[in-house]
Amino acid sequence: MDVHPDLEPIAFLLGRWEGAGVVGYPTMESANFGQEIVFGHNGKPFLTYTSRTWLLDDEGAKVRPLATESGFWRIQPERQLEVCIAHPTGIVEIYLGEVVFHKIELRTDLVARTDTAKDYAAGHRMYGLVNGNLMYAYDMAAMGHPLQSHTSAELKKVADFTPDE
């Protein structure tokens, strides 16, 4: 199945990416984590997105699951981007941003929370393709703290994309 032509500016994301990074925030201790991100498509003008993370021990072995999220990435005219992400913890985010070459910058436009979700107010994400690896940094404002660094990681492409059914 061919990738929709509107997706050309973000087609570099397609595939399965794996790697490791660092997580921290004033409400938690810093730690290393592993991550898998999968970007797929079904021929329509959006990418599907899933991310899974897990805590790593000092030797790099998986300890336990951390966060998971899924959503859709939709390119708009003039390389603008809309991203909808849902979390099983009761948070839904809508990000707006832009693509410049192989760099993506996104900021939350809307955050919706269920009554039982943690206090989360805003997010800022940057993704970039550097020497063939997907690098990203994620800042968040949560639990009464201002926007600040939360996670960053370097991921290697381990599989090309396969169309979603």
Side-chain angles (χ1 to χ4, degrees):
M1 182 179 313
D2 291 335
V3 176
H4 193 283
D6 289 354
L7 295 175
E8 182 275 326
I10 58 173
F12 72 92
L13 295 170
L14 285 164
R16 184 164 57 94
W17 302 82
E18 293 180 353
V22 177
V23 59
Y25 205 66
T27 58
M28 65 183 295
E29 286 189 41
S30 293
N32 293 325
F33 70 93
Q35 183 168 25
E36 176 193 67
I37 293 178
V38 179
F39 286 97
H41 78 90
N42 65 2
K44 295 188 180 262
F46 60 85
L47 296 183
T48 57
Y49 163 80
T50 58
S51 170
R52 299 180 313 132
T53 61
W54 49 88
L55 183 65
L56 298 176
D57 66 17
D58 292 338
E59 287 77 43
K62 292 181 183 178
V63 175
R64 63 178 168 82
L66 291 175
T68 186
E69 59 188 29
S70 62
F72 302 95
W73 293 50
R74 303 184 327 150
I75 195 75
Q76 300 299 309
E78 299 180 18
R79 301 177 76 88
Q80 297 301 296
L81 191 59
E82 298 174 348
V83 177
C84 302
I85 297 176
H87 305 261
T89 55
I91 296 170
V92 177
E93 303 168 277
I94 296 176
Y95 284 89
L96 301 178
E98 68 177 334
V99 182
V100 178
F101 300 107
H102 288 147
K103 177 186 159 210
I104 297 169
E105 186 166 3
L106 303 166
R107 294 185 185 279
T108 47
D109 181 58
L110 174 77
V111 174
R113 297 179 293 130
T114 62
D115 287 343
T116 58
K118 73 176 181 179
D119 175 24
Y120 173 78
H124 173 239
R125 297 177 185 224
M126 292 185 65
Y127 296 81
L129 194 61
V130 179
N131 297 324
N133 292 337
L134 184 62
M135 312 285 281
Y136 83 87
Y138 168 46
D139 297 345
M140 76 173 182
M143 309 302 288
H145 296 280
L147 195 65
Q148 59 192 285
S149 179
H150 178 50
T151 62
S152 62
E154 179 175 0
L155 309 174
K156 296 183 184 317
K157 185 179 271 192
V158 296
D160 288 329
F161 70 91
T162 55
D164 298 333
E165 308 244 32

